[in-house]
Amino acid sequence: MTTLRAGVIGWPIAHSKSPVLHGYWLRHYGIDGSYERIPVEPGTLPAFIADLRTNGMRGVNVTLPHKVAVMDLVDDVAPEAQAIGAVNTIVVQPGGRLRGSNTDAFGFLENLKSGAPDTNFFSGPMVVLGAGGAARAVVHALAEFGTVRIANRDPAKSQWFVERFGRNVKAVPWEQRAEALRGASLLVNTTSLGMSGHPPLDIALDALPVRALVHDIVYAPLETDLLRRAMARGNPVVDGLGMLLHQARPGFSAWFGRDPEVTPELRAAVLAT
Ligand code: ATR
């Protein structure tokens, strides 16, 4: 039997945690497989993708800056990837056809469901802060369930979400982000505020119901100032590491034939790197 091969492409790629988590699963399940970190310069992306059809790999994860460019290079783009406007997973199919999908919305929802199983986070309006790449997957996932209030420093970017995702998405001025929390059942930070080396997220939480779930997609540090303040007032919280772990599951399952589990041991292994 030949070794099953997959990997992650990006430029730069040294920081990617994907090899750690796929490597953990391969060892844990005793699968004869490999998952490589593959640096692909933007100019060589078309050649790499063409090669992928015949080079024996099962597929790849795609990270910055290639998530949008690969959409034009694969044969099929799954509906959710189309809606999000980015591909993060490519599966090589029989005959060398390439299918691109986006597993970020899945990873986001799975993380919330497993991190806060008793919280009905879509029972009321859901507030999303930020309107960058990560927000697209988050809003795509949430708009299916109900009303999303999106607030971003640059209002033109929030407006893009209203146009793309329709009536369920309402744009809120960044200055009114604290008032937007009134009656909310979920608050998600998708901005880079709170990340190591960035300023903390500046938002008063007084209007947020204490039952509302608070989630930060930032996972370095794991416990952001936002999560700390939310916990101190009694809100349930879910940290951002689980989104990274759960979004990897569909790719692993397609390439290596097993739906892997997200466990405390996996979290620890990824945090230790
Ligand atoms: P990602 O793809 O991870 O979402 P991004 O596309 O660079 O990253 O988006 C970063 C987000 O953080 C954006 O919503 C950005 O707001 P703008 O669209 O107005 O730039 C937000 N952000 C970054 N620094 C910020 C700051 N100092 N105040 C408010 N929002 C900030």
Side-chain angles (χ1 to χ4, degrees):
M1 216 180 91
T2 52
T3 301
L4 303 171
R5 288 172 51 228
V8 55
I9 62 167
W11 186 263
I13 196 64
H15 63 279
S16 174
K17 291 195 184 282
S18 294
V20 178
L21 65 104
H22 285 277
Y24 174 93
W25 281 329
L26 287 171
R27 280 192 305 280
H28 182 75
Y29 295 114
I31 294 170
D32 181 13
S34 73
Y35 185 96
E36 302 154 39
R37 193 178 257 126
I38 308 167
V40 175
E41 277 185 66
T44 64
L45 182 67
F48 178 87
I49 298 296
D51 202 36
L52 190 58
R53 297 175 188 280
T54 54
N55 72 2
M57 292 187 79
R58 308 278 296 178
V60 286
N61 280 128
V62 183
T63 187
L64 299 177
H66 303 315
K67 288 182 169 200
V68 177
V70 292
M71 293 179 76
D72 292 331
L73 302 173
V74 297
D75 302 301
D76 305 308
V77 175
E80 83 292 338
Q82 208 72 261
I84 294 168
V87 156
N88 72 350
T89 305
I90 298 176
V91 176
V92 183
Q93 298 185 304
R97 270 186 88 76
L98 302 179
R99 180 166 171 84
S101 60
N102 190 308
T103 64
D104 283 337
F106 169 85
F108 166 76
L109 277 184
E110 287 290 299
N111 185 33
L112 288 197
K113 286 184 199 160
S114 61
D118 305 323
T119 310
N120 198 356
F121 58 83
F122 41 80
S123 60
M126 298 166 278
V127 178
V128 175
L129 304 176
R136 290 181 176 207
V138 168
V139 173
H140 173 70
L142 296 178
E144 305 262 316
F145 294 111
T147 302
V148 176
R149 299 172 180 162
I150 184 165
N152 193 56
R153 180 178 57 179
D154 173 359
K157 287 199 204 157
S158 316
Q159 200 47 41
W160 180 90
F161 281 73
V162 174
E163 277 148 36
R164 169 67 72 108
F165 295 102
R167 282 184 303 120
N168 272 1
V169 179
K170 316 270 181 228
V172 176
W174 182 243
E175 297 70 31
Q176 287 167 29
R177 60 194 180 284
E179 292 93 284
L181 302 179
R182 205 165 298 287
S185 55
L186 173 69
L187 166 61
V188 182
N189 174 43
T190 76
T191 73
S192 46
L193 297 168
M195 208 179 272
S196 315
H198 295 251
L201 171 66
D202 176 20
I203 184 170
L205 298 178
D206 308 85
L208 186 70
V210 285
R211 278 193 311 278
L213 178 63
V214 178
H215 174 53
D216 204 328
I217 69 158
V218 168
Y219 60 83
L222 208 47
E223 194 180 294
T224 58
D225 173 68
L226 170 67
L227 294 187
R228 219 178 353 260
R229 289 194 293 125
M231 278 189 282
R233 64 195 295 281
N235 287 91
V237 304
V238 173
D239 69 51
L241 183 62
M243 179 172 171
L244 172 77
L245 307 180
H246 283 282
Q247 66 76 31
R249 281 171 42 205
F252 189 92
S253 162
W255 306 318
F256 301 118
R258 173 144 196 176
D259 185 15
E261 269 183 299
V262 170
T263 58
E265 291 74 26
L266 173 68
R267 275 177 69 93
V270 172
L271 284 174
T273 58

